[in-house]
Amino acid sequence: MRRFIILPSLACLLLGVFSAFAQEVQPGKSEEDNGYAQISIFAKALELIRQDYVDENKTSYHDLINAAMKGMLSSLDPHSQFMDPDDFRDMQDDTRSRFNGLGIEVSMKNGLPTVITAMEDTPAAKAGILSGDQILRINGISTERMDLQDAINVLRGPAGAKITLTLLRPSTKEIKEYTLQRAEIELSKALDELQKQGMQAVILDLRNNPGGLLNSAVDVCAQFLPPNTKVVSTQGRVASQQHDYSTSGAKKERGNFPMVVLINEGSASGAEIVAGALKDLHRAVLVGETTFGKGSVQNVLQLPDGSAVRFTTAKYYTPSKQVIQGNGVTPNIRVAVTAEQERSLFALRNAGNMTPEDEKSIIKAKDPQMLRAIDALKGVMIYAQENAPKAQAVKK
């Protein structure tokens, strides 16, 4: 027996809102790309679920539409997403030029939040957490049914707070519990302290650094470049996505000391912006391997109910107009390391209780990229000294 469904007012409203698409179908567009027809199918599916799904408390318009939005955005690329009002407020709290957290980047893999990178010299790395570790529980809460944003919400918190992670290491099948204390990492304060100690040159290690917010990358560049210097631009399909981003007008009291930036395949996003700008503007020599190549820009637009959509709208370009997405940033001096060398070095440097002498021993034995960076700095400093203006004797 054929069933007929009368759509209630909200579903009809959905159809009405998109009726303009039916009147303005572009020439050459197929029926599959007709907005009105596709919204009609969606509205019918929505009402079927509301009418017959077994658990009525899961079929509110709010829940179903939110779920549809999440699915729609996540289907575009790994970086696009729908955020409910709570998620959006949390994201706004993160738009500061400092990093409060554990030092890990996570993504969903096989249905579980999985560590992509544990950044060096952070609580996660010092505890021994490695790339590929799967997060089974956060503060005792199972992650089995969490989506990525839910996991991030639980992981997020103020500096100084403690968090307990239960991790599975697939390579060894070992399950281990870690209690970490969130730390705050500030580049400006670290540079100030080094300058007080008489810093003459600097190595900025961006290896396995997944980057972060665009404005944070620009702020990092501002620590080493003159005020009002363009460091990155974005280009997209529409004029509103064409932007230049420059360092602030505030002058930094820092010398033009020789500089090397270390990069590898784990350097991504904001780290690539920094490396590309410092290379193109001849402020630093890049040593290591070509970076990951994640150079897409996500635009965040708030919706009337306080939720928001974040989706990719443009790509990053370095000052010399090199596109980062898919290409990465290439080093001036290429120094490769094997996967075994990289794992060994990472484990040694994050073992905890490291003395300066231990650090030197590790560099000499296990870190060819750091050794090459030191050699490059020494060469630059010798050249600068030999070509510095000589003081002339005053004739009497």
Side-chain angles (χ1 to χ4, degrees):
M1 183 174 66
R2 184 175 297 175
R3 303 179 65 188
F4 295 89
I5 300 171
I6 300 175
L7 302 181
S9 58
L10 180 57
C12 292
L13 179 60
L14 283 171
L15 297 177
V17 167
F18 286 90
S19 62
F21 287 115
Q23 301 171 8
E24 299 180 6
V25 177
Q26 298 177 6
K29 290 286 186 179
S30 67
E31 179 66 18
E32 290 184 356
D33 203 27
N34 182 319
Y36 177 81
Q38 296 304 313
I39 291 297
S40 174
I41 294 171
F42 172 78
K44 290 177 182 177
L46 180 70
E47 291 310 319
L48 281 171
I49 294 169
R50 282 180 51 80
Q51 176 178 284
D52 290 340
Y53 183 71
V54 63
D55 292 329
E56 185 178 358
N57 61 352
K58 292 183 178 181
T59 62
S60 70
Y61 281 117
H62 176 272
D63 290 346
L64 292 176
I65 295 295
N66 274 19
M69 295 280 280
K70 287 182 178 180
M72 177 173 64
L73 271 294
S74 65
S75 72
L76 299 175
D77 59 53
H79 315 298
S80 299
Q81 70 173 131
F82 170 75
M83 293 173 282
D84 64 28
D86 290 339
D87 292 339
F88 181 49
R89 282 193 295 271
D90 289 340
M91 190 216 72
Q92 290 176 305
D93 289 340
D94 279 348
T95 56
R96 299 172 296 172
S97 297
R98 58 183 181 179
F99 181 79
N100 286 343
L102 309 173
I104 57 174
E105 181 186 12
V106 297
S107 184
M108 296 303 290
K109 185 176 180 180
N110 298 325
L112 288 171
T114 302
V115 177
I116 297 176
T117 301
M119 289 177 278
E120 192 168 308
D121 199 30
T122 62
K126 290 176 180 177
I129 294 174
L130 300 177
S131 298
D133 286 352
Q134 296 178 319
I135 303 175
L136 302 181
R137 289 186 291 278
I138 305 172
N139 288 337
I141 302 171
S142 173
T143 62
E144 184 178 0
R145 298 185 180 276
M146 287 187 184
D147 61 23
L148 181 58
Q149 189 59 51
D150 291 336
I152 291 172
N153 290 344
V154 183
L155 288 168
R156 181 183 288 117
K162 290 185 178 181
I163 190 167
T164 300
L165 303 179
T166 305
L167 303 181
L168 166 65
R169 185 157 297 164
S171 60
T172 62
K173 308 300 182 185
E174 177 187 12
I175 295 178
K176 189 174 180 180
E177 192 171 272
Y178 299 84
T179 299
L180 309 177
Q181 185 170 8
R182 297 184 180 95
E184 181 174 302
I185 303 163
E186 285 195 20
L187 176 63
S188 182
K189 290 183 178 179
L191 288 172
D192 289 342
E193 185 59 34
L194 289 171
Q195 282 191 275
K196 290 178 183 178
Q197 298 173 19
M199 175 178 63
Q200 295 179 316
V202 67
I203 297 173
L204 181 62
D205 193 345
L206 296 181
R207 293 175 294 181
N208 300 312
N209 187 317
L213 298 172
L214 175 60
N215 66 313
S216 297
V218 175
D219 287 348
V220 170
C221 290
Q223 299 295 323
F224 308 106
L225 294 169
N228 302 312
T229 300
K230 186 175 80 170
V231 296
V232 67
S233 61
T234 61
Q235 295 182 24
R237 288 173 57 192
V238 296
S240 62
Q241 297 304 319
Q242 323 298 324
H243 292 294
D244 293 334
Y245 295 89
S246 301
T247 58
S248 71
K251 186 176 181 179
K252 305 287 183 185
E253 297 299 328
R254 305 205 191 283
N256 193 34
F257 39 77
M259 184 175 182
V260 168
V261 177
L262 289 173
I263 54 174
N264 65 4
E265 292 181 0
S267 308
S269 186
E272 294 178 285
I273 291 175
V274 173
L278 296 179
K279 176 188 178 183
D280 283 4
L281 298 170
H282 308 293
R283 178 61 187 88
V285 174
L286 271 54
V287 173
E289 299 173 275
T290 301
T291 60
F292 182 82
K294 180 188 177 299
S296 60
V297 178
Q298 280 74 53
N299 197 19
V300 179
L301 298 176
Q302 188 172 6
L303 300 176
D305 67 344
S307 63
V309 289
R310 173 164 60 189
F311 53 94
T312 303
T313 55
K315 295 179 180 180
Y316 294 132
Y317 290 79
T318 70
S320 66
K321 296 300 181 183
Q322 301 300 308
V323 64
I324 294 174
Q325 179 66 29
N327 298 323
V329 178
T330 58
N332 300 103
I333 302 173
R334 187 177 185 278
V335 182
V337 296
T338 66
E340 183 58 36
Q341 281 178 313
E342 189 171 357
R343 282 193 295 267
S344 176
L345 175 64
F346 188 85
L348 287 169
R349 293 188 65 170
N350 291 284
N353 301 317
M354 186 77 65
T355 67
E357 289 305 315
D358 291 335
E359 184 78 11
K360 290 178 182 178
S361 298
I362 290 172
I363 290 173
K364 290 179 180 179
K366 301 285 186 179
D367 197 343
Q369 293 172 334
M370 184 67 77
L371 283 176
R372 189 66 184 87
I374 293 170
D375 286 342
L377 280 180
K378 287 180 178 178
V380 170
M381 294 174 73
I382 292 171
Y383 178 83
Q385 290 172 357
E386 290 181 349
N387 289 274
K390 303 294 190 298
Q392 295 183 353
V394 179
K395 293 183 180 180
K396 293 184 179 180

